[in-house]
Amino acid sequence: IIETSILLLFYFNKHNFVMLFQVAVIYTFLLKLLPLSTSNVYQYLWRHYGASTMKLYGEFVKTRLQLDKLRCDLTFIRTCKREELIPTFARIRLANPYLRNSKVARQCAEAVLQGEMKFKKRLLTQSHRHSNRLLQEFNQCVPRLISIRLRSIAEQIVAKRRERVETQHLSNLNKLRCKKVSKLDRRSTIDPITNLSSRTLNTEERNALINGLHHVYPSNRFDHSRFVCNVEYFYARLLNLRTEYRHYEQKNANENVVHQLSSVQLNAASQFRSTANSITKMAETELKQVGEEHQRTFGILRSLAKDQSIVITRPDKGRGVVLMDRSEYVQKMETILNDPSTFTVIDHDPTIINEDRLTRTLLRLKKEGFITNEEYNIARPVGSRAARLYGLPKLHKANNPLRPVMSATKTVGYGLGKMLTSRLSHLRNSPYVVKDTFDFVNKIKLSTNLTKTMISFDVTSLFTNVPLTYTINYILDQMYPACSRICPPRPRTKHCRACKKRRDFEILLRTATSETNFLFDKKMYVQHNGVAMGAPLAPVIADIFMAHLETTLMDQLKQSGVCEW
């Protein structure tokens, strides 16, 4: 009745725009008077028109929600393409993290975005047709006025959902924009190459060094046999073909495995073969071009390595490449080595003599049962050489001082240091040691002094400043306490069992620490105090000394006002 009266009013007053506006207002008012809302719409339909109409309306609302969600997703994807953003679903997970920002990974992400957009558009067309079909069926089940009201209720539901989706998409876009800006900032501010030398690098030399000193160039040869095996294995898995042999069994070389394939499978196999051949040709062409580029890079690196006026090394903290003038580098290293309390210059190479003496000592200790056969094999030196000393520039400090690092691999005491590390590991335990970041966070959470001020101390050149004699005596007192007898002045054969073990362990400790000779600038040195950074026993000795020092001074620290250490 209401709909008929409104239509009559509209018919008789269609030439009067004022009356037409009044009719629209009345029509809107009457629509709001209907006993329908978002909270009772399904109950109303079920009560007046049945369960089938209610289900039809629910499917219509669901389709409208899907349509609106697809439009919002398409807008999000278009924005990502326009602003060159890569959403999470389009990122390719790569085994090599250095390829994440490569051109190939970028092209793959763009292809994923393009495919997702085509899929969304196709799904949008199908959903739109399905929505129109549902609306036609629904209009046949309810009066026109009720249908209009129900469509307005559906739009309200869709509007609420749209607001949440748009908010989520906007949040994701802002995160992607911030990530992109941060990457651009890192690329523009962080330079992996620090040139402290007088040589000026050109663009080709910088491109050759920018990958770092640990970069490994891939091979330019295509492994054809492995590629064919992988393709055949993939096709066999695709067809679910299995042999009678397990993965750990081997078949005879003369035995042929024959599979009965259908014509469709044979056609697919030929297509696989043609595709594999085209991939092989493309890969060989690409690898040839890459190999030529790598050869040019290798030539540039060789020319830099032949330049005797510069030194190419890495920084002390982090990664990168540092170029220094050789004269400045040698001068700073000699300033460190000229300290007579730590280093001494010698005129001969005692490597062979030290190796022979240590071998005889280890053999004697093995016969006496002081060390096991496994420890003897670890500690026994074979084909030893003198250590090499080099310096790493500290770029975070003024004047870029050098940190001396010893390459102790294949030295006389290298295996001995690894063996002693396992024996001394229990002395490194201390309640004042922080193992890692998680341990630090847990200790902060359990601390009762959160209102206090936290400060930190740094030890200047810890390894070289460790008092070696004092630390060795402390280790001996902890592991092999001195006996009450007067054993030290006597010969070793007249020592007691405890003093023999103490004396033998002292010999091993001094051999692994103070008898290491190294080479720098064609000169031979011996470090007789402190421990060398790079030796396997160095961090153990430093940790033991610092733990003992902290335990000894803890009472004085607490009297000075330290609440927690």
Side-chain angles (χ1 to χ4, degrees), residues 525-543:
Y525 296 84
V526 173
Q527 181 175 351
H528 53 81
N529 194 15
V531 289
M533 184 177 178
L537 200 60
V540 181
I541 297 292
D543 288 346

Side-chain angles (χ1 to χ4, degrees), residues 35-36 40-51 53-54:
L36 283 172
N40 66 346
V41 58
Y42 291 103
Q43 296 178 359
Y44 179 85
L45 289 175
W46 180 76
R47 189 183 304 114
H48 291 84
Y49 301 101
T53 305
M54 181 190 69

Side-chain angles (χ1 to χ4, degrees), residues 355 358-359 361-367 370-384 410-420 422-423 508:
E355 179 180 342
L358 179 59
T359 303
T361 302
L362 292 174
L363 188 61
R364 176 177 58 80
L365 296 178
K366 174 187 172 184
K367 291 181 180 179
F370 186 71
I371 60 175
T372 62
N373 190 24
E374 295 180 356
E375 292 177 335
Y376 172 77
N377 293 330
I378 294 174
R380 184 170 67 93
V382 177
S384 303
K410 293 294 293 181
T411 56
V412 175
Y414 184 74
L416 179 61
K418 294 174 64 176
M419 186 269 286
L420 293 177
S422 60
R423 285 203 174 192
L508 295 179

Side-chain angles (χ1 to χ4, degrees), residues 505-559:
F505 199 74
E506 181 181 1
I507 293 173
L508 295 179
L509 285 175
R510 294 194 180 279
T511 303
T513 54
S514 61
E515 295 184 5
T516 302
N517 56 295
F518 59 89
L519 191 67
F520 178 78
D521 197 23
K522 300 180 181 180
K523 296 179 182 180
M524 191 66 65
Y525 296 84
V526 173
Q527 181 175 351
H528 53 81
N529 194 15
V531 289
M533 184 177 178
L537 200 60
V540 181
I541 297 292
D543 288 346
I544 292 174
F545 172 73
M546 289 302 300
H548 171 63
L549 182 65
E550 290 170 342
T551 305
T552 306
L553 300 178
M554 190 52 59
D555 294 336
Q556 299 181 20
L557 290 172
K558 290 183 178 180
Q559 292 177 2

Side-chain angles (χ1 to χ4, degrees), residues 87-272:
T88 305
F89 69 87
R91 293 176 185 170
I92 308 299
R93 188 172 182 179
L94 301 172
N96 189 355
Y98 296 101
L99 298 177
R100 293 174 183 172
N101 298 323
S102 62
K103 182 179 178 180
V104 177
R106 187 76 187 180
Q107 290 176 352
C108 291
E110 292 176 355
V112 171
L113 279 177
Q114 187 66 27
E116 186 71 14
M117 180 178 291
K118 290 181 180 179
F119 173 74
K120 295 285 186 184
K121 287 182 179 179
R122 186 167 60 252
L123 194 60
L124 181 66
T125 303
Q126 296 175 0
S127 300
H128 187 70
R129 293 174 182 173
H130 185 57
S131 176
N132 291 337
R133 186 167 59 252
L134 290 175
L135 182 60
Q136 292 177 2
E137 294 179 5
F138 185 71
N139 288 335
Q140 296 176 1
C141 298
V142 296
R144 184 181 178 185
L145 186 64
I146 301 298
S147 175
I148 294 173
R149 177 56 180 162
L150 291 174
R151 275 187 285 174
S152 65
I153 292 175
E155 290 300 327
Q156 294 177 11
I157 297 173
V158 170
K160 291 181 180 179
R161 174 70 178 276
R162 185 190 306 120
E163 184 178 357
R164 294 198 299 268
V165 173
E166 289 179 350
T167 303
Q168 183 64 32
H169 283 173
L170 183 60
S171 175
N172 293 338
L173 286 173
N174 291 333
K175 291 180 181 178
L176 293 174
R177 288 164 183 162
C178 293
K179 189 176 294 186
K180 180 181 178 181
V181 171
S182 63
K183 287 183 179 180
L184 293 176
D185 292 341
R186 286 200 299 268
R187 290 178 184 176
S188 59
T189 57
I190 299 177
D191 188 3
I193 301 175
T194 304
N195 190 3
L196 303 177
S197 66
S198 57
R199 173 169 178 166
T200 303
L201 298 177
N202 55 34
T203 305
E204 294 181 350
E205 292 173 342
R206 289 188 62 86
N207 292 335
L209 292 173
I210 201 167
N211 292 323
L213 301 179
H214 301 282
H215 180 71
V216 178
Y217 288 90
S219 175
N220 56 355
R221 295 181 180 179
F222 183 72
D223 194 348
H224 184 74
S225 59
R226 177 173 292 185
F227 177 72
V228 171
C229 291
N230 290 335
V231 172
E232 291 180 354
Y233 177 72
F234 169 71
Y235 189 66
R237 290 291 302 272
L238 189 65
L239 299 180
N240 198 19
L241 297 176
R242 299 180 182 275
T243 62
E244 297 179 355
Y245 297 95
R246 303 272 183 184
H247 66 279
Y248 52 84
E249 296 177 341
Q250 294 182 355
K251 72 177 186 64
N252 296 327
N254 299 327
E255 182 180 355
N256 295 326
V257 179
V258 180
H259 299 291
Q260 299 294 333
L261 302 180
S262 63
S263 60
V264 178
Q265 294 173 347
L266 289 174
N267 187 21
S270 63
Q271 293 179 3
F272 262 86

Side-chain angles (χ1 to χ4, degrees), residues 388-406:
R388 266 65 174 174
L389 190 72
Y390 61 93
L392 298 179
K394 301 178 182 180
L395 301 180
H396 57 285
K397 294 186 178 181
N399 298 325
N400 303 315
L402 298 180
R403 180 190 297 276
V405 180
M406 182 184 297

Side-chain angles (χ1 to χ4, degrees), residues 424 426-427 471-482 502 544 548:
L424 300 176
H426 66 281
L427 297 179
T471 308
I472 289 177
N473 291 332
Y474 170 73
I475 293 173
L476 294 174
D477 291 339
Q478 294 296 317
M479 298 191 66
Y480 304 101
R502 180 185 176 96
I544 292 174
H548 171 63

